[in-house]
Amino acid sequence: FWWYPARQTLGAALLMDGQAARAEQEFLAMLVESPDNGWGYWGLAEAREAQGDAEGAEAARVLWRQVWLGAEEPTLEKVFLHLTGRGLR
């Protein structure tokens, strides 16, 4: 059994659809269910930035840097690939 926080997929899809406020809600809910999830903090930062909340985005990035174990910073393309196993196209 492999547990996966499905809210991060929904958050990424909402973010890609331009629904940053709803994406932020999903990433926050995901972080309650799966604390210290690097993908969640990164998505939260992107959602806040898309809404013009630079301070909130930076706060999420600080948390992201504390927990991220990956070699490279995610991109929306990488998040989608990670979540679905397929590229955006």
Side-chain angles (χ1 to χ4, degrees):
F1 175 74
W2 180 58
W3 184 83
Y4 173 81
R7 287 183 183 271
Q8 72 187 37
T9 302
L10 179 56
L14 290 167
L15 193 54
M16 291 180 351
D17 191 45
Q19 299 180 56
R22 286 189 60 206
E24 178 182 13
Q25 292 172 348
E26 291 302 325
F27 286 119
L28 285 169
M30 189 215 64
L31 287 164
V32 168
E33 296 171 357
S34 180
D36 293 335
N37 182 302
W39 293 103
Y41 284 129
W42 183 85
L44 180 60
E46 292 296 303
R48 287 178 171 173
E49 187 172 295
Q51 295 175 82
D53 181 4
E55 188 174 313
E58 183 54 31
R61 281 194 183 89
V62 166
L63 294 169
W64 172 76
R65 286 184 199 103
Q66 293 174 1
V67 301
W68 186 247
L69 299 176
E72 299 177 15
E73 182 172 347
T75 64
L76 204 48
E77 173 84 21
K78 289 178 187 174
V79 171
F80 191 77
L81 180 62
H82 171 75
L83 300 176
T84 66
R86 299 185 321 239
L88 289 174
R89 291 171 189 84

